Each structure stands twice: as C-alpha cells, then as structure tokens.
Amino acid sequence: MTNVTMPMLETYPLEINLDRRQLASAIDSLISCSEACTACADACLSEPMIAELAKCIRTNLDCADICQATARVLSRHTGYDANISRTLLEACVMACRTCADECERHADMHEHCRICAQACRDCEAACQQLLAAMK
C-alpha cells in the first residue's frame, strides 16, 4: 500500500460501506497497475521492433487510463454510487486481463512486459475481491 491511501480513508468522517483496508488495497493496486502500464507502453515505444508491439502499447494505455479513473472514483465517497463503482471495477477486470494476456505474449523478450503482466494480474485479483465484497 502507498503511505497515503489508508490514512486518507481513515480520515473520512462518514461511514464507508466497504472494508477500508480492502478498499485501500484495491486503490493501491489500481494505481500501481496504471503506473506499470504507462511505463510498459513507454518502454515498448523504445524497442527496435515497435510495430510488433503496437497492440501491446494500445492495450497498456487503455488499461492505464481505466485503472487510473477507477482509482479516482473509488477514492471519493460523498454521494457514493455503488453501480458506478461496480461497473468501473468490472471494466478494470477486463482491461487488466486483456493487458496481462497481451504483455505475457512478449514477456520472454521484454522484462517490462513481464512486470506489467504481473501488475495487471494483481490488479485484476484486487478488483475481483472488491467486487465480491460489494455484492
């Protein structure tokens, strides 16, 4: 976990209908995944066979954006709408799974793809756990 997410959730003055530690863990996983995907896309752009990595780059950037948006929404609780959070988490699960699958295709040749794939798998699991807690 980051050193900010949990303290911020602990200071929220109203009730949160989710376990704060589980929520913090999911938010941190989303932020880490977004960072990994952004860095992986950038590293792919520096590889000599860039055309072969076009799908990977696109998938990285899509996943990064979806994870970042989801982390931001999950960090807000005033006027909370569980349907929006659920929908974003479901989109994150799909984006992370797709990105991990694509990065794993290149993981033997590119270490950044291996690291990104693992971050995506971790984030996918964190999102699924939070979804299960919301039902």
Side-chain angles (χ1 to χ4, degrees):
M1 277 190 225
T2 68
N3 53 355
V4 174
T5 307
M6 192 62 203
M8 287 303 296
L9 287 174
E10 288 173 339
T11 65
Y12 187 72
L14 299 176
E15 183 178 332
I16 296 176
N17 293 331
L18 295 167
D19 176 86
R20 290 178 195 229
R21 290 199 184 283
Q22 186 176 28
L23 179 59
S25 178
I27 292 169
D28 287 341
S29 289
L30 288 158
I31 293 168
S32 292
C33 188
S34 179
E35 290 173 2
C37 288
T38 300
C40 188
D42 184 65
C44 286
L45 287 168
S46 296
E47 293 291 350
M49 306 289 265
I50 191 171
E52 294 173 7
L53 296 169
K55 183 177 180 184
C56 191
I57 294 164
R58 170 61 189 262
T59 305
N60 283 156
L61 295 175
D62 288 348
C63 190
D65 289 345
I66 293 167
C67 287
Q68 190 65 37
T70 303
R72 291 176 61 152
V73 168
L74 290 177
S75 295
R76 297 189 290 259
H77 303 285
T78 304
Y80 173 74
D81 186 333
N83 291 322
I84 292 173
S85 294
R86 252 192 300 283
T87 300
L88 283 169
L89 284 165
E90 289 166 353
C92 244
V93 166
M94 180 55 64
C96 288
R97 183 177 302 140
T98 300
C99 191
D101 289 348
E102 181 61 27
C103 279
E104 285 170 353
R105 292 183 55 234
H106 310 284
D108 288 342
M109 292 178 52
H110 307 294
E111 182 68 5
H112 53 85
C113 286
R114 186 196 63 73
I115 293 167
C116 185
Q118 186 58 57
C120 288
R121 294 288 181 213
D122 293 345
C123 188
E124 177 185 359
C127 289
Q128 287 176 327
Q129 290 169 3
L130 191 57
L131 272 168
M134 293 174 78
K135 296 181 182 201

